[in-house]
Amino acid sequence: LDANENPYGPPPGVRAALANLRDAHIYPDPLSRELRAALADFTGIPADLLLAGTGADELIDLTMRLFLQPGDAVIDCPPTFGMYAFDAAVSGATVISVPRRADFSLDLDAVEEAALRRSPKLIFVASPNNPDGSWLPDADLERLLSLPFVVVLDEAYVEFAGPAHSRIRQVPERPNLIVLRTFSKWAGLAGLRVGYGAFPAALMPHLWKIKQPYSVSAAASVAAIAALKDRAWLEEKTALIVRERERLWRLLQDAPCLRPYRSQSNFVLCRVVDRDARELKLALEQEGILVRYFDKAGLRDHIRISVGRPDHTDALIAALRRL
């Protein structure tokens, strides 16, 4: 329960598509046209504004490459997904860290001050945020979009908050909004590495210039297309995960050493009290249960627990009671 994978795996149609994969000896379509057409149907966004990648991670890196030269600035709002700061550093950028508030909400006053004083090119914001599962309110997004930088909104977990909450359909009308999504979580394709993003039209020609031509494999492409054809199955399993998230949160409240946060994602972050969080993580590991521990500022007294199946929750709670 440490990597936020979908415990139900991909839809049955994905397994069939992979079993019948043909032409694996031929390079995949460098433009991923069939996948992007399926994504256009799924999102309502024109295919010309969509880019597929090796997970959302490739698209994070591509966005950095497109905008940044050494010395340019990027705003990062920790605690959050670590690849934003990692890729910015690889690009030679200056990372302006604007820590989140105690409730993990954005410190928008500090973001605005940094934007006006340091002239960053980009800000990366996850909604729901990883590792706490908090949602970025509409008013906060509007404040960010009013500032002189590009907002990269990472929606890796949006399906667990409700896909209707996605801001992806705003991209065609927002010249400074990028929205990234992935098949790793809700679609159960973490091992195949396929994601996508919606970008303003002005950026697309330049993204195509710098994108590796064959990054989305033939297997990843056919799996993602098959998953999109089985939306009812995915929606059913997503609903099961959301229901189990609520059950897990309620049960964790009864653990004397844990203080769980409400989450809009497929994980629950817990503050650990009266004992060392890393020691608890290692003790659970000895029980055969993996949870995530972050050895970084603001999270050293926390663990993050992915939502599994009901029997996973039962095993976790039983182990916590033994400990």
Side-chain angles (χ1 to χ4, degrees):
L1 307 176
D2 66 336
N4 303 336
E5 295 125 337
N6 187 324
Y8 298 100
V14 170
R15 302 179 190 277
L18 291 172
N20 295 314
L21 178 65
R22 298 182 179 181
D23 299 329
H25 61 294
I26 296 174
Y27 287 112
D29 175 12
L31 301 181
S32 298
R33 280 167 287 200
E34 188 176 357
L35 174 55
R36 288 168 52 233
L39 288 169
D41 179 68
F42 174 61
T43 62
I45 299 295
D48 288 348
L49 302 185
L50 295 171
L51 196 68
T54 310
D57 287 2
E58 182 190 7
L59 303 178
I60 293 169
D61 178 64
L62 275 178
T63 301
M64 301 272 194
R65 291 171 184 263
L66 181 61
F67 278 93
L68 301 176
Q69 296 187 37
D72 286 341
V74 173
I75 293 182
D76 184 44
C77 299
T80 192
F81 186 43
M83 293 305 296
Y84 309 145
F86 176 89
D87 283 332
V90 169
S91 297
T94 299
V95 179
I96 305 169
S97 182
V98 181
R100 290 171 177 263
R101 300 183 188 276
D103 63 355
F104 296 100
S105 63
L106 291 182
D107 186 344
L108 287 170
D109 291 339
V111 170
E112 289 176 342
E113 179 184 358
L116 298 175
R117 183 167 50 89
R118 305 286 297 276
S119 300
K121 297 283 188 68
L122 302 165
I123 183 172
F124 284 81
V125 180
S127 182
N129 186 48
N130 179 11
D132 65 286
S134 60
W135 183 255
L136 179 71
D138 289 341
D140 290 4
L141 178 59
E142 289 299 323
R143 283 182 68 178
L144 293 176
L145 289 169
S146 71
L147 295 170
F149 50 43
V150 171
V151 178
V152 184
L153 187 63
D154 187 346
E155 292 189 340
Y157 299 95
V158 73
E159 289 84 5
F160 304 106
H165 290 79
S166 173
R167 279 66 174 250
I168 197 167
R169 294 199 178 193
Q170 297 184 28
V171 171
E173 286 77 43
R174 300 280 195 165
N176 64 327
L177 175 63
I178 294 169
V179 174
L180 305 180
R181 305 275 287 274
T182 181
F183 285 82
S184 294
K185 316 302 181 183
W186 77 297
L189 299 183
L192 285 170
R193 311 303 300 124
V194 56
Y196 63 99
F199 296 83
L203 300 182
M204 291 301 294
H206 306 289
L207 286 163
W208 284 118
K209 292 175 188 175
I210 63 173
K211 185 181 182 299
Q212 293 283 346
Y214 305 124
S215 62
V216 181
S217 72
S221 183
V222 301
I225 292 168
L228 291 175
K229 291 177 180 177
D230 208 346
R231 297 180 203 174
W233 192 94
L234 288 173
E235 290 168 3
E236 175 192 349
K237 295 303 184 285
T238 300
L240 289 177
I241 291 170
V242 169
R243 189 182 313 149
E244 192 61 21
R245 177 189 72 202
E246 297 306 299
R247 174 175 175 257
L248 173 63
W249 179 80
R250 289 194 300 269
L251 290 170
L252 290 171
Q253 287 184 302
D254 295 331
C257 67
L258 298 179
R259 301 292 183 270
Y261 297 85
R262 293 311 302 257
S263 172
Q264 296 297 309
S265 192
N266 68 334
F267 51 80
V268 177
L269 183 72
C270 300
R271 186 165 63 90
V272 181
V273 297
D274 299 331
R275 66 182 301 168
D276 183 82
R278 183 174 181 275
E279 289 181 1
L280 177 58
K281 175 253 191 306
L282 293 175
L284 285 169
E285 187 174 316
Q286 292 302 309
E287 297 281 333
I289 299 172
L290 301 181
V291 299
R292 186 70 182 270
Y293 171 70
F294 301 89
D295 187 12
K296 58 179 66 174
L299 292 174
R300 290 192 175 93
D301 56 348
H302 290 72
I303 59 172
R304 190 195 68 196
I305 303 168
S306 302
V307 178
R309 299 190 304 265
D311 57 306
H312 295 159
T313 299
D314 294 342
L316 169 71
I317 297 301
L320 286 171
R321 287 171 178 162
R322 287 193 296 273
L323 295 171

